[in-house]
Amino acid sequence: MSAKADLISEIEDLVLANHILHAQGVLDSYGHVSFRSPERPDRFFMARAMAPARVTASDIMEFDIDGEPLARGGRSVYSERFIHSEIYKKRGDVRSVIHSHSPGVIPFSVTDVPLRAIMPPAGFLHTGVPVYEIRDASGMTDMLVRDPQRGKALAESLGDHAVALMRGHGDVVVGPELRTAVARAVYTEMNARIQLQAVLLAAGGRVEYMTEEECTLRKAGDNLDKRGSGHGSDRIWEGLKSELIDKQD
Amino acid sequence: MSAKADLISEIEDLVLANHILHAQGVLDSYGHVSFRSPERPDRFFMARAMAPARVTASDIMEFDIDGEPLARGGRSVYSERFIHSEIYKKRGDVRSVIHSHSPGVIPFSVTDVPLRAIMPPAGFLHTGVPVYEIRDASGMTDMLVRDPQRGKALAESLGDHAVALMRGHGDVVVGPELRTAVARAVYTEMNARIQLQAVLLAAGGRVEYMTEEECTLRKAGDNLDKRGSGHGSDRIWEGLKSELIDKQD
Amino acid sequence: MSAKADLISEIEDLVLANHILHAQGVLDSYGHVSFRSPERPDRFFMARAMAPARVTASDIMEFDIDGEPLARGGRSVYSERFIHSEIYKKRGDVRSVIHSHSPGVIPFSVTDVPLRAIMPPAGFLHTGVPVYEIRDASGMTDMLVRDPQRGKALAESLGDHAVALMRGHGDVVVGPELRTAVARAVYTEMNARIQLQAVLLAAGGRVEYMTEEECTLRKAGDNLDKRGSGHGSDRIWEGLKSELIDKQD
Amino acid sequence: MSAKADLISEIEDLVLANHILHAQGVLDSYGHVSFRSPERPDRFFMARAMAPARVTASDIMEFDIDGEPLARGGRSVYSERFIHSEIYKKRGDVRSVIHSHSPGVIPFSVTDVPLRAIMPPAGFLHTGVPVYEIRDASGMTDMLVRDPQRGKALAESLGDHAVALMRGHGDVVVGPELRTAVARAVYTEMNARIQLQAVLLAAGGRVEYMTEEECTLRKAGDNLDKRGSGHGSDRIWEGLKSELIDKQD
């Protein structure tokens, strides 16, 4: 493919990435995804300021390494675009950056419990997940990364890791290519949700379970039900098929 | 209206009740709703054994006070129909009975934490919510109320209350009319979900909150953003409208 | 725009606000939103008593500062309309009031854990979130704000804040304009959900995490899989695209 | 039916099983379901490597007892197919195997809290739910069951049980027929979610409940509202109908 065709194809992936991350609950009507220009490593591509679920190819703009749009044309741009520019400046290995308010990770940004890998697809978390505390370098602020200095401090917090949390705010996820960054953002959120449940479970209390006898009798009952009534395994199958149809309606 | 028109109208409500309780997550592909015959207090109406979301008027059958269908015609009937018959037998004031696997109430049936009214529409819980322990009267079983004796023991556990939990299984909800029973089943589930969260919250730990200064600066930032960038209150409004459109697609 | 055109436009926003708050899970089939009349500060606009998701412009009625409709025309009105009238009476700066059963905030209304700002868009919570205990001024009631006295006590609890919780019931959210009040109601709910998770996380237990070696080997495995099998990053991308299509069906 | 017609019918069930398990949240874009060949017990059928929600009959392939496809034809196959082959090898009674990342069970795989039967349809858990710790037999790995040795160790962990968890990864569920295995996978996930809530509930804190008087007054209030205002039981019914319509739109 020509360089131009490559770029068009990557812009299509960027549009799709916005939609996928919205459908997965990583982005709501905020957050942004970018990729580094394949031809000019000192530039990157990202949507104008808008809801991710609505992004189309014509909304994608090119930015320079200082986070300024090459051709603004009166369009709004994300005030936190310096998250992207400063990470591209510091991390030559990064070709894609995602910033989101990923809801499952925020609890880990305001407690002492570090986000850690539980499940294989989140194995990239193993080098550690730093928490960027904007108070450290910038004192009391509105917590938005709205200038290059804050972006630089965030990039320093991130270090060589794949993910940094932003205290009370969300996270930034990076990758060597766009699709990898998207997968990481999705599994960071999923690992966070499951880790929360696991941590809670480990501190739980006593519950009344079924006895072995009740379980065995249940099984006998199922067989009984096959002869005329409503609880056999074909009935469960019909019920599950019915729920499937409801979802497809 | 004639008695016949009244009955047709109540059967339509019964069909709708099945669909509503499914949409609200009270019934999955199991559970059943009935109402007492307006003309013959020793009879009641309920669907044949099938998934609630699919019930139509032609699926409604008439049962006698012993739980037996008047005209079975080869159709499957719920093996737990004795929940209904025995409650109608004992409780002259009850005109509608709902049995469900309402997922939010099951945790309250296997712990020592009683289900209690937190929110006004669940005020009917105030007389107490007994837990029917099938082991007490029937020993080890498959936990299904599949005969009149078990139905009678459940009706005794219920006493004069509006709701009884069934240990590890679900609940039974009754009312002086069908619509009231449906509202009670919905708010029993909702109260249970909120009570669980409240009980957990009350046992929680320490979290890092935003400072007053951060909050104030955020507000100033919003005003700043109104002049050209992406975080003002019109931007939030547009984002919320965008999410609305997604849900309506 | 003429005053009349302004009013029509604000009524359209009010209709949309009902739909948005329903789609965001702040309102269910209850709750109400109002705005102060732009021409007559002693009047406000709000829907007749009905489900928010169904409100259209023709359902909007005008109310006086005592909460009475100017032209009732046989329509039902919300019994808790005094929440609105008494706040408009006391708070000259408020141009919009929302009352909801916002499910995430109710746990904070029945425990000692105060609702506090965790995330920037909820920064408006920083002045504090009082809990209106209806028992304090009115003793034992049905917990509904169904007369001016109760409305006045709620307005006093609210003080100069943006949000007051109502014990076991929900909340009231106010703003200097309709769109701001809507954004506040949405982020009050979202902050509550995330704060609950954070508070629980902070009190959790011990969990078995992946080791660094497992994480590293997983990464090597991913590269391995690129040569022929099913777990590489393109496979994840295809999977995520597939989930996207499911949601758009 | 002829043997061929039987096989076609079981393949249709296998396709449906993939869709049902996706709709129920057991499978996401990963995981796989298989059944043992009715004619050749040393063979089994399973989809090529793809997202379960998209599987059609033409995607089903036949595998030998060593997990190798009989006619690959350039198609991708699941790298973890040895989960299936090794279980079929060891367990003559098993005619269907499901491997999933069932999200509710993962917390039980990384804590000391065993997954146990709470509700009757999960009674098959009563023999115990072992946790397969891949470190025990294979040391540090990428945690994927990508060869026969790991599959064999998993089959040994499973023993005679219906379900084995895989630490940090998911589970494997088996059954004497495909429909039974599907029902078991669905109720394993559901039991896990409810058990988590119950265990948390049992360790919770103190909450402010409604008083008996508030509850009683609420009830009186409902009757009051029937005469003219917005909170009676017909209003709740209309609200619930309204929510039903929203879901069916």
Side-chain angles (χ1 to χ4, degrees), chain B:
Chain B
M1 269 200 292
S2 69
K4 172 139 193 191
D6 277 350
L7 181 60
I8 288 173
S9 160
E10 191 150 13
I11 286 176
E12 280 167 6
D13 269 10
L14 181 59
V15 169
L16 207 48
N18 275 276
H19 301 181
I20 285 173
L21 292 168
H22 181 262
Q24 296 287 328
V26 172
L27 300 177
D28 49 7
S29 61
Y30 289 101
H32 11 95
V33 196
S34 70
F35 68 87
R36 193 192 288 268
S37 168
E39 301 197 315
R40 295 274 313 249
D42 58 341
R43 294 189 181 167
F44 64 96
F45 290 87
M46 185 165 67
R48 65 184 176 87
M50 65 181 300
R54 296 270 157 268
V55 168
T56 66
S58 66
D59 298 309
I60 306 302
M61 299 172 68
E62 193 169 2
F63 294 82
D64 69 23
I65 199 71
D66 294 318
E68 295 310 323
L70 296 189
R72 184 158 181 164
R75 289 174 288 186
S76 292
V77 293
Y78 294 120
S79 60
E80 296 196 297
R81 60 197 179 276
F82 308 103
I83 295 173
H84 301 258
S85 56
E86 293 301 319
I87 291 175
Y88 287 126
K89 213 176 268 179
K90 186 174 189 303
R91 288 277 299 267
D93 61 312
V94 165
R95 286 207 61 245
S96 182
V97 175
I98 297 169
H99 166 57
S100 81
H101 301 168
S102 204
V105 310
I106 299 181
F108 292 89
S109 78
V110 293
T111 57
D112 289 335
V113 183
L115 186 66
R116 289 190 56 186
I118 277 190
M119 50 197 307
F124 58 87
L125 298 177
H126 77 100
T127 61
V129 181
V131 178
Y132 166 62
E133 172 50 273
I134 196 169
R135 290 176 198 158
D136 290 345
S138 311
M140 292 299 153
T141 65
D142 65 354
M143 292 175 60
L144 296 179
V145 183
R146 54 167 78 256
D147 61 41
Q149 287 69 32
R150 296 182 192 173
K152 200 176 167 214
L154 169 57
E156 272 159 19
S157 282
L158 175 63
D160 290 329
H161 304 291
V163 180
L165 306 191
M166 301 160 76
R167 193 259 310 152
H169 181 161
D171 65 10
V172 60
V173 177
V174 302
E177 51 175 332
L178 175 62
R179 293 180 174 196
T180 307
V182 168
R184 286 176 175 179
V186 168
Y187 285 105
T188 298
E189 171 70 15
M190 198 178 295
N191 192 90
R193 290 184 196 167
I194 288 177
Q195 186 181 349
L196 171 66
Q197 291 177 35
V199 167
L200 299 187
L201 181 61
R206 214 197 74 82
V207 162
E208 184 65 31
Y209 296 100
M210 290 174 74
T211 64
E212 188 183 329
E213 207 172 345
E214 284 173 331
C215 292
T216 315
L217 288 164
R218 159 75 190 184
K219 206 170 157 190
D222 274 352
N223 294 331
L224 208 85
D225 280 329
K226 280 199 177 162
R227 298 192 295 279
S229 178
H231 269 270
S233 85
D234 281 347
R235 165 111 167 78
I236 294 182
W237 180 259
E238 291 305 317
L240 292 172
K241 267 210 314 200
S242 153
E243 297 289 320
L244 179 63
I245 293 162
D246 288 335
K247 300 219 173 151
Q248 288 177 342
D249 272 356

Side-chain angles (χ1 to χ4, degrees), chain D residues 31-221:
Chain D
H32 11 95
V33 196
S34 69
F35 68 87
R36 192 193 289 267
S37 168
E39 303 195 315
R40 297 272 314 248
D42 57 342
R43 294 189 181 166
F44 64 96
F45 290 87
M46 185 165 67
R48 65 182 176 89
M50 66 180 299
R54 297 268 156 271
V55 168
T56 65
S58 66
D59 298 309
I60 306 302
M61 299 171 68
E62 193 169 4
F63 294 82
D64 68 23
I65 199 69
D66 293 318
E68 295 311 323
L70 296 188
R72 185 158 181 164
R75 290 174 288 186
S76 293
V77 293
Y78 294 119
S79 60
E80 296 196 296
R81 58 199 180 276
F82 308 103
I83 295 173
H84 301 258
S85 56
E86 293 301 317
I87 291 175
Y88 287 126
K89 213 176 269 179
K90 185 174 191 304
R91 288 276 300 267
D93 61 312
V94 165
R95 286 207 60 244
S96 181
V97 176
I98 297 169
H99 166 58
S100 81
H101 301 168
S102 204
V105 310
I106 298 180
F108 292 88
S109 77
V110 293
T111 56
D112 289 335
V113 184
L115 185 66
R116 290 190 56 186
I118 278 191
M119 49 198 307
F124 57 87
L125 299 176
H126 77 100
T127 61
V129 181
V131 178
Y132 166 62
E133 171 50 273
I134 196 169
R135 289 176 198 159
D136 290 345
S138 311
M140 291 301 153
T141 65
D142 65 353
M143 292 175 60
L144 295 180
V145 183
R146 55 167 76 255
D147 61 41
Q149 287 68 33
R150 295 182 192 173
K152 198 175 168 217
L154 169 57
E156 273 161 17
S157 282
L158 175 63
D160 290 329
H161 304 291
V163 180
L165 306 191
M166 300 160 76
R167 193 259 309 153
H169 181 162
D171 65 11
V172 60
V173 178
V174 303
E177 52 175 332
L178 175 61
R179 293 181 175 196
T180 307
V182 168
R184 286 177 175 178
V186 168
Y187 284 105
T188 298
E189 170 70 16
M190 198 179 294
N191 193 90
R193 291 184 196 167
I194 287 177
Q195 187 181 348
L196 171 66
Q197 291 177 36
V199 167
L200 299 187
L201 181 61
R206 214 197 73 83
V207 161
E208 184 65 31
Y209 296 101
M210 291 175 74
T211 64
E212 187 182 330
E213 207 172 345
E214 284 173 331
C215 291
T216 316
L217 288 163
R218 160 74 190 186
K219 205 169 158 189

Side-chain angles (χ1 to χ4, degrees), chain C residues 40-223:
Chain C
R40 295 274 313 248
D42 58 342
R43 294 188 182 168
F44 64 96
F45 290 87
M46 185 165 66
R48 64 182 177 87
M50 65 182 300
R54 296 268 157 269
V55 169
T56 65
S58 66
D59 298 309
I60 306 303
M61 299 173 67
E62 192 169 3
F63 294 82
D64 69 23
I65 199 71
D66 294 318
E68 294 311 323
L70 295 189
R72 184 159 182 163
R75 289 174 289 185
S76 292
V77 292
Y78 293 119
S79 59
E80 297 197 296
R81 59 199 180 274
F82 308 104
I83 295 173
H84 301 258
S85 56
E86 293 301 319
I87 290 175
Y88 287 125
K89 212 176 269 179
K90 186 173 190 306
R91 288 276 300 268
D93 62 312
V94 165
R95 286 208 60 245
S96 182
V97 175
I98 297 168
H99 167 56
S100 82
H101 300 168
S102 204
V105 309
I106 299 181
F108 291 88
S109 77
V110 293
T111 56
D112 289 335
V113 183
L115 186 66
R116 290 189 57 186
I118 277 191
M119 49 197 307
F124 58 87
L125 298 177
H126 77 99
T127 61
V129 182
V131 177
Y132 166 62
E133 172 50 272
I134 196 169
R135 289 176 198 160
D136 291 345
S138 311
M140 292 301 153
T141 65
D142 65 354
M143 293 175 60
L144 295 180
V145 183
R146 54 167 78 256
D147 61 41
Q149 288 67 32
R150 294 181 192 174
K152 199 175 166 215
L154 170 58
E156 272 159 18
S157 282
L158 176 63
D160 290 329
H161 303 291
V163 180
L165 306 191
M166 301 161 75
R167 192 259 309 152
H169 182 161
D171 65 11
V172 60
V173 178
V174 303
E177 52 175 332
L178 175 61
R179 293 180 175 197
T180 307
V182 169
R184 286 177 175 178
V186 168
Y187 284 105
T188 299
E189 171 70 16
M190 198 178 294
N191 193 91
R193 289 183 198 168
I194 287 177
Q195 186 180 349
L196 171 66
Q197 290 176 38
V199 167
L200 298 187
L201 181 61
R206 213 196 74 82
V207 162
E208 183 66 32
Y209 296 101
M210 291 173 75
T211 64
E212 187 182 331
E213 207 173 345
E214 283 173 331
C215 291
T216 315
L217 288 164
R218 160 74 190 186
K219 206 170 159 189
D222 274 352
N223 294 331

